[in-house]
């Protein structure tokens, strides 16, 4: 009897033991190695000294006004089925950074969308007329400053879809360079934030010297009228189009510059473009950012600098392509890649007369090599100084503009003796009012 009782008592113990072993295997958590997740991206190789050249397509990233986003290493996880994962709390922020950024971008896009939706109605309530103001500016009517030039020899356009507080020193240098090469030009900055008292204060040093520059809030209803952008924008403000993760302001700027040139004709430049020589001999031109390594055919165009006549058919095709294929989740899709797609289809066709200029014209130094231009020679190194001077002379002699690739270079300090510092000094018209030896941001 005692043996039977002992046996019955032992059986539950065996079951408990089996259950505990089973449970340990079922509910165990495997923690992936932190090595691959936390590793930093490989260091980029130092740029070659042959700066004024174009990287092959396989070595270049997305082009443009909008420069490519910084790369972040993608976290590497164990293969599916390798087990469950647990993450330490202090890693959660870095792992979810990309998602948090998307949410912030989405909220920013919604805010801008509300502003855009109410902008046209606001103009009409205040009795403001965008085309009348623009025509008055270009015709130089009612100009109070007697130093102002009598007419616009050439029209320049910029857009600023951001706050007036973020209008930085780099943008001031860009404006200076326009008037250094074109003292009789008119520069229209299409911007809601700069069409203000603060905006007028920012531009006052130029108007005091007689330069023709102003800022006017855009009337999208007028600018998009009679183009495919009209229906696209109507659907956008009604919430029928998803804005995506790319900043909406960037895509609005891509479209706005096209419509400005289509309605008025002239030159569009980004606010981080430094003008180096006169544009008066250029006509209906767009610039290549890169060319094939062993050919003279372009592989990518850019929309940071464009020169076109009013109502040029290529501009209409750009607007049409934007409206029909806009994608808010692909960086550059609606800008540099969009103009590249259209030109690849239309180049050489009758009725579309335009010129594709080589990279050296507008983009002599690519975004991944621009840092070198911000550095001075180290320890007064004579050979490095000679090389930098050679680069400077080559840019001065061959290029119409220098694109500073804002997103890539906005945190770079402009060092003494650097190519950028010398160009800023060479192109200044407010030489005593602006500094160049500082960190450029924004």
């Amino acid at each position: 009897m005692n043996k039977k009782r002992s046996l019955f008592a032992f059986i539950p113990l065996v079951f408990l033991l089996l259950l505990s072993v089973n449970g340990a295997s079922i509910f165990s958590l495997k923690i992936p190695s932190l090595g691959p997740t936390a590793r930093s991206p490989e260091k980029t190789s130092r740029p070659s000294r042959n700066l004024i050249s174009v990287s092959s397509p396989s070595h270049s990233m997305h082009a443009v006004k909008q420069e490519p986003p910084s790369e972040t290493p993608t976290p590497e996880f164990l293969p599916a089925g390798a087990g469950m994962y647990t993450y330490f709390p202090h890693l959660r922020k870095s792992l979810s950074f990309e998602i948090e950024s998307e949410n912030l971008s989405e909220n920013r896009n919604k805010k801008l969308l509300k502003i855009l939706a109410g902008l046209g109605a606001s103009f009409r309530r205040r009795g403001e007329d965008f085309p009348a103001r623009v025509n008055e500016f270009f015709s130089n009517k009612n100009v109070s400053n007697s130093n102002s030039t009598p007419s616009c020899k050439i029209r320049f356009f910029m857009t600023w879809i951001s706050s007036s507080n973020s209008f930085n020193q780099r943008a001031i240098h860009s404006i200076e360079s326009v008037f250094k090469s074109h003292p009789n030009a008119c520069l229209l900055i299409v911007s809601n934030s700069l069409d203000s008292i603060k905006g007028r204060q920012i531009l006052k040093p130029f108007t005091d010297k007689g330069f023709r520059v102003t800022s006017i809030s855009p009337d999208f209803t007028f600018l998009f009228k009679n183009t495919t952008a009209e229906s696209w924008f109507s659907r956008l403000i009604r919430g029928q189009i998803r804005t995506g993760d790319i900043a909406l302001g960037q895509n609005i700027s891509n479209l706005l510059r096209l419509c400005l040139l289509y309605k008025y004709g002239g030159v569009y430049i980004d606010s981080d473009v430094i003008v180096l020589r006169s544009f008066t001999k250029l006509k209906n031109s767009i610039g290549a950012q890169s060319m094939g390594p062993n050919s003279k055919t372009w592989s990518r165009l850019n929309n940071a600098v464009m020169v076109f006549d009013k109502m040029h058919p290529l501009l209409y095709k750009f607007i049409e392509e934007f409206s029909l294929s806009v994608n808010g989740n692909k960086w550059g899709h609606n800008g540099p890649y969009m103009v590249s797609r259209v030109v690849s289809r239309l180049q050489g066709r009758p009725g579309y007369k335009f010129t594709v200029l080589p990279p050296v014209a507008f983009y002599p130094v690519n975004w991944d090599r621009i840092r070198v231009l911000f550095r001075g020679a180290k320890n007064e190194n004579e050979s490095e100084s000679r090389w930098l001077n050679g680069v400077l002379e080559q840019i001065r002699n061959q290029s119409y503009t220098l694109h500073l690739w804002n997103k890539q270079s906005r945190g770079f300090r402009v060092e003494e003796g650097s190519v950028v510092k010398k160009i800023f000094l060479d192109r200044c018209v407010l030489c005593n009012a602006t500094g160049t030896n500082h960190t450029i941001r924004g």
Side-chain angles (χ1 to χ4, degrees), residues 213 256 274 294 320:
V213 57
L256 185 55
I274 305 300
N294 301 314
E320 186 177 61

Side-chain angles (χ1 to χ4, degrees), residues 116-121 123-124 130-131 218-227 229-231 233-234 237 256 259 263:
L116 295 176
L119 213 50
F123 289 150
R124 288 184 285 275
F130 175 84
D219 182 345
F220 295 104
T221 303
F222 168 77
L223 287 169
F224 297 163
K225 191 172 183 180
N226 297 327
T227 71
E230 187 175 16
S231 60
F233 187 70
S234 176
I237 60 176
L256 185 55
C259 292
K263 294 284 184 182

Side-chain angles (χ1 to χ4, degrees), residues 2 37 120 128 179 184 203 218 244 273 294 366 385 406 431:
N2 288 336
T37 303
E128 295 179 1
F179 291 118
N184 295 326
L203 300 178
V273 167
N294 301 314
N366 205 24
S385 292
N406 185 52
C431 302

Side-chain angles (χ1 to χ4, degrees), residues 48-55 289 359-360 363-366 369 394:
S48 68
R49 295 235 163 177
N50 185 19
L51 277 180
I52 312 209
S53 63
V54 182
S55 304
Q289 182 191 323
V360 71
Y363 313 103
V365 180
N366 205 24
R369 301 179 179 187
Q394 196 171 355

Side-chain angles (χ1 to χ4, degrees), residues 157-220:
F157 296 90
M158 284 184 187
T159 64
W160 189 260
I161 313 292
S162 189
S163 71
S164 57
N165 291 331
S166 62
F167 197 78
N168 53 27
Q169 193 65 42
R170 179 170 299 187
I172 296 294
H173 285 306
S174 181
I175 296 174
E176 285 188 288
S177 72
V178 168
F179 291 118
K180 182 73 174 182
S181 302
H182 310 82
N184 295 326
C186 292
L187 170 59
L188 172 60
I189 306 173
V190 178
S191 169
N192 186 43
S193 63
L194 292 177
D195 189 6
S196 62
I197 293 173
K198 180 157 188 181
R200 285 191 286 276
Q201 290 173 342
I202 291 172
L203 300 178
K204 190 173 185 298
F206 293 99
T207 55
D208 284 349
K209 284 184 171 287
F211 295 121
R212 300 280 303 285
V213 57
T214 193
S215 183
I216 301 177
S217 298
D219 182 345
F220 295 104

